Amino acid sequence: MSEERQRTLYGRRRGKKLRAGQEALLDTLLPRLLVSVPPEPQKIDPAALFGGACEIWLEVGFGAGEHLVWQAEQHPDVGLIGCEPYMNGVAKCLAHIERTGVGNVRLFTDDARLVMGALPDQSLSRAFVLFPDPWPKTRHHKRRFVQRDTLDILARLLKPGSELRLATDDPSYLPWMVEHACTHPAFMWLAERPADWRSRPDDWPPTRYEQKMLAGHKPVFLRFRRV
């Protein structure tokens, strides 16, 4: 197995006990939406996942799925792949999918690097990495998702002119994100003034996590173009 395909997750997979309805969604709806990683050297076929989708977007760590499902509702002609290993969040996302009836979302419930390693080159038109675990202790910085190797993979997957969106509320992760993404030759930061990254773009909806957990914190919203 290649380095890209190795599972490098840290942290828990489950939290408090799920309700019966949530467990039922994991048993019935999730299998219909799951993305499978084929054995190497095969690649995932996005057309087979979404049919006639005009674009494919990827969200890494979708939390409870509110942003993912909102984007699916607003862009019904786009296929969205959401990656989230925390099964309590997956169950909440499934509830949003069932409630809204969106049909253009597919889910991967393991390390996002696995599905990234199996996607074809230049298959994505947008990627989101929103509020990843900051791993604030210095000895844990190697666990941060935003690293040169993951940016290399995203650069391979994103089409020229497409967009990478990063967000964090952690003061130590912001300079890390900016340094790693801005020094990567494949990405150009789109901010021209502080308001461009301190203010939420119109097509970037707030989530319950942000409203509940970010009270007193100032999230930042970073947009980069694949050059």
Side-chain angles (χ1 to χ4, degrees), residues 6 15 35 48 59 62 78 100 117 136 142-143 157 165 187 225:
Q6 292 178 9
V35 176
E59 181 167 348
F62 58 71
V78 172
T100 59
K142 63 181 179 294
R143 300 182 178 182
L157 297 178
R165 294 188 174 187
F187 295 105
R225 176 173 294 127

Side-chain angles (χ1 to χ4, degrees), residues 26 29-36 49 105-109:
L26 292 177
L29 181 55
L30 180 58
R32 304 202 301 266
L33 304 179
L34 272 177
V35 176
S36 297
L49 288 178
V105 174
R106 300 293 182 268
L107 304 179
F108 186 71
T109 60

Side-chain angles (χ1 to χ4, degrees), residues 4-22:
E4 288 183 355
R5 296 291 182 94
Q6 292 178 9
R7 183 175 180 271
T8 54
L9 282 175
Y10 301 95
R12 57 183 182 167
R13 293 295 303 271
R14 282 182 177 263
K16 64 182 181 180
K17 182 177 176 58
L18 297 174
R19 298 190 297 272
Q22 293 175 316

